[in-house]
């Protein structure tokens, strides 16, 4: 997601993703542009609004991806993380599973990493950063992200 609505800039997040998949030869990381999970196509995602427009906005965003973006980039798989806590992201994942296969894109949902009973999440990692709890943060992020974050702090 290119919009800077996060603790980290788009460039920083993009670098973390690229580093995290650098060992995968058949994976290409591309910027989302203005039409994949953007304020223009899916404002509820950023405001975390669960309302009657959620289904329409979710489907609109996914159809743009399925009909315009996936074919141009030869995308045949979309990998998503399981989302047991955030209702908006969970609704988005469910809509992808419903819409994308009929457009030739297989949705692969990976289980959320857990530490004990708790799911690892961006919000937990962000809280560790805010509290400067680097020891707890180490368990929540991959080595590639850890290297970028700790280099950033130096």
């Amino acid at each position: 997601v290119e919009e800077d609505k996060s603790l980290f800039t788009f460039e920083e997040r993009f670098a973390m993703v690229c580093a995290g998949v650098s060992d995968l030869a058949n994976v290409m990381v591309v910027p989302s542009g203005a039409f994949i999970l953007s304020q223009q196509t899916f404002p509820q995602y950023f405001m975390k609004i669960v309302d009657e427009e959620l289904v329409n906005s979710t489907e609109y965003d996914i159809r743009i991806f399925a009909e315009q973006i996936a074919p141009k980039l030869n995308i045949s798989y979309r990998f998503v993380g399981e989302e047991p806590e955030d209702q908006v992201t969970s609704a988005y994942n469910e809509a992808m599973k419903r819409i994308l296969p009929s457009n030739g894109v297989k949705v692969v949902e990976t289980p959320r990493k857990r530490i004990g009973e708790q799911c690892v999440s961006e919000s937990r990692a962000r809280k560790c950063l805010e509290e400067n709890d680097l020891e707890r943060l180490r368990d929540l992020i991959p080595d590639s992200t850890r290297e970028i974050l700790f280099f950033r702090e130096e």
Side-chain angles (χ1 to χ4, degrees):
V1 176
E2 278 196 55
E3 295 184 326
D4 284 326
K5 302 282 184 187
S6 174
L7 179 63
F8 299 101
T9 67
F10 163 71
E11 288 79 15
E12 290 170 319
R13 293 190 319 272
F14 192 78
M16 288 181 219
V17 172
C18 288
V21 299
S22 64
D23 62 321
L24 304 174
N26 62 342
V27 172
M28 176 175 59
V29 182
V30 295
S32 66
F35 297 105
I36 299 178
L37 274 177
S38 73
Q39 285 276 59
Q40 283 182 268
T41 60
F42 194 11
Q44 290 90 341
Y45 182 80
F46 297 91
M47 297 182 290
K48 299 300 181 189
I49 296 172
V50 178
D51 63 10
E52 64 278 351
E53 281 299 307
L54 178 61
V55 171
N56 291 335
S57 293
T58 300
E59 290 184 359
Y60 177 66
D61 189 80
I62 294 167
R63 287 190 193 288
I64 289 172
F65 175 81
E67 296 168 8
Q68 302 296 320
I69 296 165
K72 287 182 175 79
L73 295 175
N74 278 336
I75 295 172
S76 53
Y77 289 89
R78 184 146 178 191
F79 294 89
V80 299
E82 168 194 36
E83 186 46 71
E85 297 176 359
D86 184 291
Q87 290 179 6
V88 173
T89 303
S90 180
Y92 192 81
N93 286 357
E94 291 307 312
M96 279 192 286
K97 289 183 221 174
R98 192 175 63 255
I99 296 168
L100 292 181
S102 63
N103 287 275
V105 179
K106 182 176 180 181
V107 177
V108 179
E109 185 175 46
T110 58
R112 180 66 69 105
K113 180 179 177 181
R114 294 179 182 274
I115 297 176
E117 295 296 313
Q118 287 195 331
C119 291
V120 172
S121 70
E122 178 190 359
S123 58
R124 285 194 177 85
R126 189 172 43 248
K127 185 173 185 199
C128 290
L129 277 171
E130 290 167 0
E131 295 173 354
N132 202 29
D133 187 349
L134 301 182
E135 285 305 310
R136 205 168 100 219
L137 179 64
R138 287 180 191 283
D139 293 335
L140 300 177
I141 59 176
D143 293 342
S144 58
T145 299
R146 192 176 311 122
E147 288 172 18
I148 291 169
L149 290 182
F150 294 144
F151 175 75
R152 179 180 185 242
E153 292 179 347
E154 293 178 355

